[in-house]
Amino acid sequence: DQAISIVEWASDAGILLRLFGSCGVFVKCGEKSSLLERNGRLPKDIDAVVAHRHRLALREGLNVRGWIENVEMTALTDAMRMRFTASDHTVLDISAEHLRYCQSLDLAGRLTLDFPTISTADLLLSKLQVAAPTSGDIIDIAALLCAFGLGDRDDTEISRNRIGDVVGHSWRWFKAVHDSLVSFADGTYQRDILSDAREGALIHRHALEILSL
């Protein structure tokens, strides 16, 4: 898999790089759930986050490996956001340590918690922050809720401490996470997902568990 190969190459080069986005969810869920494939949610491009101190080394390494850089984006963001395109037209989007979209998710000090993706809770939060989730976002969230329950670990569970820390310090984060999960708990979003009874029950239960934090 191209995405995993990039993370492994970066690791060998001493660069801290982890996957997120639809590609990260697909890799993280792995064989735990067939929900992504059943709903046609196969990633086309790659999203990754790099440690701030390693972003320039990553840029240099990707250029050497033949990836074509969007130099304008790099210049405009001081390499906090970078985009590269491979010869097969695969797009690699890089964020440096923070995921800044509808909300801002600080991943400083958290990139070593899992491999080759960011932690399960951070993957989920990166999707729940979206104010108007697309059908793809909804499928990704459902797959994570189906495959992982709430717990204390960062790699094999959805960390209750991480979720609680993020939503407990920001009203905007609380509102975004609450509104999205309510739509999973009450079945609104599940009507748009091809899932069986067992998967639906897991999604419902895990959404309620997070809402109860």
Side-chain angles (χ1 to χ4, degrees):
D1 182 89
Q2 189 177 26
I4 296 175
S5 295
I6 291 171
V7 178
E8 291 175 339
W9 158 77
S11 179
D12 290 342
I15 297 169
L16 194 53
L17 183 72
R18 296 294 185 267
L19 302 172
F20 73 101
S22 61
C23 182
V25 173
F26 189 84
V27 170
K28 184 65 181 175
C29 290
E31 298 178 355
K32 293 180 180 295
S33 173
S34 61
L35 193 148
L36 291 169
E37 293 186 13
R38 197 182 322 132
N39 284 270
R41 183 62 169 162
L42 301 178
K44 296 180 180 179
D45 297 325
I46 304 169
D47 294 299
V49 57
V50 64
H52 183 272
R53 66 187 183 278
H54 294 156
R55 71 193 195 284
L56 298 183
L58 176 65
R59 177 194 182 195
E60 180 180 355
L62 288 171
N63 278 310
V64 168
R65 290 169 65 87
W67 289 76
I68 304 301
E69 179 184 5
N70 182 328
V71 293
E72 182 178 4
M73 176 180 287
T74 302
L76 288 173
T77 65
D78 192 24
M80 296 300 289
R81 291 286 305 278
M82 297 183 285
R83 177 170 294 166
F84 295 83
T85 304
S87 57
D88 64 357
H89 305 296
T90 298
V91 175
L92 171 61
D93 278 317
I94 306 290
S95 297
E97 215 153 89
H98 286 75
L99 303 184
R100 293 187 173 95
Y101 298 101
C102 297
Q103 317 295 332
S104 180
L105 186 63
D106 183 2
L107 296 175
R110 294 189 56 81
L111 297 183
T112 58
L113 297 177
D114 203 352
F115 184 93
T117 71
I118 59 177
S119 77
T120 315
D122 288 322
L123 270 176
L124 182 60
L125 286 167
S126 71
K127 290 291 180 176
L128 291 175
Q129 70 170 317
V130 180
T134 65
S135 59
D137 293 322
I138 292 170
I139 294 168
D140 288 344
I141 295 169
L144 288 167
L145 292 174
C146 181
F148 300 97
L150 204 61
D152 298 320
R153 295 181 59 92
D154 286 292
D155 51 356
T156 58
E157 297 175 306
I158 299 169
S159 169
R160 58 168 54 89
N161 289 334
R162 176 58 169 171
I163 300 290
D165 182 59
V166 171
V167 302
H169 289 86
S170 167
W171 167 251
R172 289 182 59 183
W173 262 111
F174 172 82
K175 179 68 172 170
V177 170
H178 176 273
D179 289 354
S180 289
L181 288 177
V182 163
S183 294
F184 281 96
D186 67 12
T188 299
Y189 282 158
Q190 291 195 52
R191 290 195 291 268
D192 300 323
I193 302 168
L194 294 175
S195 60
D196 58 32
R198 183 192 65 84
E199 292 169 333
L202 285 171
I203 294 167
H204 174 77
R205 187 178 81 202
H206 293 157
L208 285 178
E209 288 177 351
I210 298 172
L211 284 169
S212 68
L213 289 175

